[in-house]
Amino acid sequence: EAQVTQNPRYLITVTGKKLTVTCSQNMNHEYMSWYRQDPGLGLRQIYYSMNVEVTDKGDVPEGYKVSRKEKRNFPLILESPSPNQTSLYFCASSFSAGGGGPYEQYFGPGTRLTVT
Amino acid sequence: GESVGLHLPTLSVQEGDNSIINCAYSNSASDYFIWYKQESGKGPQFIIDIRSNMDKRQGQRVTVLLNKTVKHLSLQIAATQPGDSAVYFCAEKRRSGAGSYQLTFGKGTKLSVIP
């Protein structure tokens, strides 16, 4: 089954404790991205990757890191989480049609993060 | 700055009626648009897309219309069903650097279907 998986689905942590949210897709997609979703603000892009070893900042990258060492995985790293990073996070992937993407994006189920 | 916005945050329709959800965009260079549906507790799900060289595209019970003159996008759902109740997002693809692209999402419209 074609899918995007994220782990963990729920996480409660404390300020400053490093964490990683994993994302994996099995569709051989070139393009992957991370979004956060907050009430009234919709979906905002954090980071994206056009292909392996190529990452770019989205609209709200502060406080986050990513890496793309393999095509299927795109982990989101919070080196020192803060309460304002409490949010619902989504990973997404899509084909890129020769670098002109993203096109139809497939989203993961979401990770609800609470930072106290 | 460039933005994608929605005219109405909420929409209530009677079951069986048609629904129309609107979206305005400001980036005239955008060449690709997508509509997503997000049900409670789930990730956004792709509904339909349209490229800027088209005015209309139809799917199963859904139609997307693109008016480039007024930079307006709409999603029409025919014979709305209770299962259509969700938040709907429009998104546009924009260039964010040399050979680099992003999707920018609107804030969403909540569709409620009245049985």
Side-chain angles (χ1 to χ4, degrees):
Chain A
E1 179 189 357
Q3 60 182 349
V4 178
T5 57
Q6 296 177 227
N7 282 292
R9 294 289 314 279
Y10 302 90
L11 179 59
I12 301 174
T13 190
V14 296
T15 298
K17 185 176 181 181
K18 180 179 179 180
L19 67 92
T20 299
V21 184
T22 64
C23 173
S24 183
Q25 51 93 5
N26 62 0
M27 295 168 280
N28 202 35
H29 285 162
E30 297 92 350
Y31 190 99
M32 296 186 74
S33 63
W34 276 102
Y35 297 87
R36 60 178 290 174
Q37 186 173 34
D38 302 289
L41 297 177
L43 285 154
R44 295 180 293 167
Q45 193 171 43
I46 303 170
Y47 268 95
Y48 62 101
S49 170
M50 296 290 290
N51 214 323
V52 176
E53 301 291 2
V54 180
T55 62
D56 284 293
K57 294 179 180 179
D59 298 316
V60 288
E62 294 76 21
Y64 305 94
K65 286 175 59 178
V66 293
S67 67
R68 187 88 182 275
K69 293 183 171 56
E70 306 165 280
K71 199 171 190 178
R72 63 183 293 126
N73 296 322
F74 191 46
L76 179 69
I77 303 158
L78 284 72
E79 294 271 3
S80 183
S82 62
N84 65 11
Q85 292 179 299
T86 293
S87 187
L88 180 59
Y89 292 86
F90 288 102
C91 180
S93 74
S94 75
F95 69 92
S96 190
Y103 293 102
E104 175 186 341
Q105 278 200 331
Y106 291 82
F107 280 79
T111 295
R112 186 165 292 282
L113 172 65
T114 302
V115 183
T116 62
Chain B
E2 306 294 350
S3 66
V4 175
L6 294 170
H7 294 308
L8 296 173
T10 61
L11 177 65
S12 295
V13 298
Q14 204 72 37
E15 181 178 357
D17 287 351
N18 296 335
S19 302
I20 300 176
I21 301 171
N22 297 304
C23 181
Y25 66 95
S26 57
N27 185 351
S28 57
S30 294
D31 63 356
Y32 178 71
F33 304 87
I34 311 178
W35 280 99
Y36 283 94
K37 172 186 180 183
Q38 186 177 25
E39 296 174 283
S40 181
K42 297 184 179 179
Q45 180 183 8
F46 172 87
I47 302 174
I48 192 168
D49 58 2
I50 188 167
R51 296 180 190 245
S52 60
N53 60 354
M54 303 171 69
D55 297 323
K56 178 180 180 179
R57 190 165 189 218
Q58 289 184 289
Q60 187 176 11
R61 280 200 309 117
V62 294
T63 300
V64 56
L65 298 177
L66 177 62
N67 186 330
K68 294 179 285 293
T69 302
V70 295
K71 298 177 191 169
H72 183 267
L73 191 69
S74 68
L75 176 70
Q76 300 179 1
I77 305 173
T80 311
Q81 303 169 0
D84 295 326
S85 293
V87 177
Y88 289 81
F89 294 94
C90 64
E92 63 174 330
K93 188 183 78 165
R94 61 183 173 91
R95 185 183 291 269
S96 54
S100 186
Y101 298 88
Q102 289 180 255
L103 281 183
T104 299
F105 284 78
K107 292 180 172 49
T109 291
K110 183 177 181 179
L111 175 65
S112 297
V113 181
I114 304 165

